[in-house]
Structure formats: C-alpha cells, structure tokens
Amino acid sequence: NAGVTQTPKFRVLKTGQSMTLLCAQDMNHEYMYWYRQDPGMGLRLIHYSVGEGTTAKGEVPDGYNVSRLKKQNFLLGLESAAPSQTSVYFCASSERGLAERPDTQYFGPGTRLTVL
Amino acid sequence: EDKVVQSPLSLVVHEGDTVTLNCSYEVTNFRSLLWYKQEKKAPTFLFMLTSSGIEKKSGRLSSILDKKELFSILNITATQTGDSAVYLCAVGSLTASGSRLTFGEGTQLTVNP
C-alpha cells in the first residue's frame, strides 16, 4: 500500500500561471481533503469530497477548484496563481467522516508551492 | 468562529526532560480532539480523545482531555532527540455544512542531546 501520494513534490509558478496538484490514495477511502499549511496558521481545509463525483468547500476555498472523477484521485486546481497561494499543500483521505472517525484520516507527504 | 490555541509555540529541552504541551479550544458541537506529530512531512496521528478525564497512553506519550475547561495536554516523558517535531492539536466538530477539523498552529519541540 502506498497510502496517500501527491504529485508534484515541489513547484514554482509565476503569478497568473495555472497548475493542478494530484492526490491519489489506494485505501479505497470515500473521503478526501485538501489542506494548506502556512507558518503560524496551522492546517486549513480548502475543499473536500465525500465520495466519487462530489466536492464541497472548506474553510479557504477561494482561488481553488477541485474534481473527484475517480474515487482514488482528488485534484486541486489553481487557475490563476497568486503569491498568497504560496504554501505547503497536504492531501488527506479517510475511511469515515471527520465527525465520526477523524482518526482514520491519513495525510500525503505534501507539495511545496511557491508563487513568484 | 471555531478556535484552537496551542502553547507554547516553541520549546527547547534536553534529552530526558519531561514536557507538557497545551491545547485549548472554543468550538461549537465538539466531537473529538486529536494530537498529531509532524516531522518534515505529513502529520501522523497520535491520539484521539472524546471523553473527559480518560488518559490515553502510548509509550512515553500520554494525553488527557478536560471538556469542562476546554483543554487538553500532551505529556512526553524521558524525551529523546527523535521526539523533535511540531505537535499539532485538532478539534473535530459538526457544523451546518458538515464535519470539520480545526487545527491549532502547533508547538515546535526541539530535544537537544
């Protein structure tokens, strides 16, 4: 089992460029999440999905879009990158919902994104 | 607005010391409190607490929750250099838009030999 994997590990963008971050999990989890982690801010939820074909907004969704066309993949898109989106992005998946079993949430290794 | 505050933000100790990390919270519809250890990469799960006064223990680490005073502590005894990490506290809650985890900003623990 690879668990949760993220691609790419690092990326540098110029303001206005677009990119897609890919998250994949092989644990057959229904729930998937995208977080960002900034110094002094903890992890904040961007978007999440409760199953294939579903997405929902989290705490800081502006400037991002997501898609969950396949159960094992959750894509995070930046259509027009801004310096404020410089951050470390973590994907996670869980077997059950966060209200029921948040301890089943597993995190990917992270993607460090810099927007110049 | 839900809030999770950790203290101290940073702590430097010597091997063998005992440390106590604090987490206080203000959330509506509390469901659980979780502790994670984050080294260079992804956070890894340590404990989940849902009931007051019941200590969870794993080796040299232990944690307890006080739902009346709205805080939790994470204790690490006989610290080792491998304990150096950021320790994150997160609170699970149920909101109108669904369940969520609210994270604190973390405590950076450095254990020197």
Side-chain angles (χ1 to χ4, degrees):
Chain A
N1 270 2
V4 180
T5 58
Q6 293 181 230
T7 309
K9 291 185 170 52
F10 304 94
R11 186 73 185 267
V12 178
L13 290 178
K14 293 182 180 177
T15 297
Q17 286 185 315
S18 63
M19 78 162 294
T20 300
L21 280 67
L22 171 63
C23 176
Q25 53 95 3
D26 61 1
M27 297 174 282
N28 202 35
H29 285 170
E30 288 292 337
Y31 301 82
M32 296 188 75
Y33 314 85
W34 276 107
Y35 292 91
R36 60 178 289 174
Q37 186 175 32
D38 303 295
M41 299 288 289
L43 277 84
R44 292 180 293 168
L45 183 65
I46 304 170
H47 285 281
Y48 65 100
S49 168
V50 300
E52 182 179 319
T54 75
T55 63
K57 292 181 181 180
E59 189 182 350
V60 288
D62 294 343
Y64 306 94
N65 56 74
V66 287
S67 64
R68 183 110 181 259
L69 299 179
K70 293 183 178 180
K71 186 177 184 179
Q72 64 268 34
N73 295 336
F74 195 29
L75 278 63
L76 178 72
L78 286 73
E79 287 187 353
S80 179
S84 61
Q85 294 178 304
T86 294
S87 188
V88 180
Y89 292 85
F90 287 100
C91 176
S93 71
S94 67
E95 182 180 350
R96 306 279 290 276
L98 296 181
E100 305 163 320
R101 291 293 307 277
D103 56 322
T104 66
Q105 184 173 212
Y106 292 89
F107 288 86
T111 294
R112 185 172 293 276
L113 175 67
T114 302
V115 182
L116 302 175
Chain B
E1 185 179 322
D2 293 348
K3 194 161 67 168
V4 177
V5 177
Q6 293 186 243
S7 64
L9 293 180
S10 175
L11 189 56
V12 181
V13 300
H14 288 107
E15 267 191 319
D17 288 350
T18 293
V19 298
T20 298
L21 309 183
N22 304 291
C23 175
S24 63
Y25 62 90
E26 293 176 30
V27 302
T28 51
N29 292 319
F30 171 92
R31 300 300 289 260
S32 59
L33 186 143
L34 294 89
W35 285 96
Y36 293 88
K37 179 182 182 181
Q38 185 177 25
E39 294 173 270
K40 296 288 185 187
K41 295 186 176 178
T44 53
F45 171 77
L46 294 174
F47 297 112
M48 182 172 77
L49 303 141
T50 56
S51 301
S52 279
I54 299 175
E55 185 183 53
K56 292 277 181 98
K57 199 169 171 62
S58 176
R60 296 176 293 102
L61 278 68
S62 63
S63 183
I64 198 160
L65 173 67
D66 186 329
K67 288 168 74 174
K68 183 179 176 186
E69 300 298 329
L70 307 182
F71 78 91
S72 173
I73 60 171
L74 175 68
N75 277 325
I76 308 175
T77 59
T79 52
Q80 302 171 356
T81 54
D83 295 327
S84 295
V86 174
Y87 290 84
L88 297 169
C89 173
V91 174
S93 60
L94 191 58
T95 70
S97 53
S99 56
R100 63 179 292 178
L101 279 182
T102 302
F103 283 82
E105 58 186 291
T107 293
Q108 172 74 61
L109 174 66
T110 302
V111 182
N112 291 324

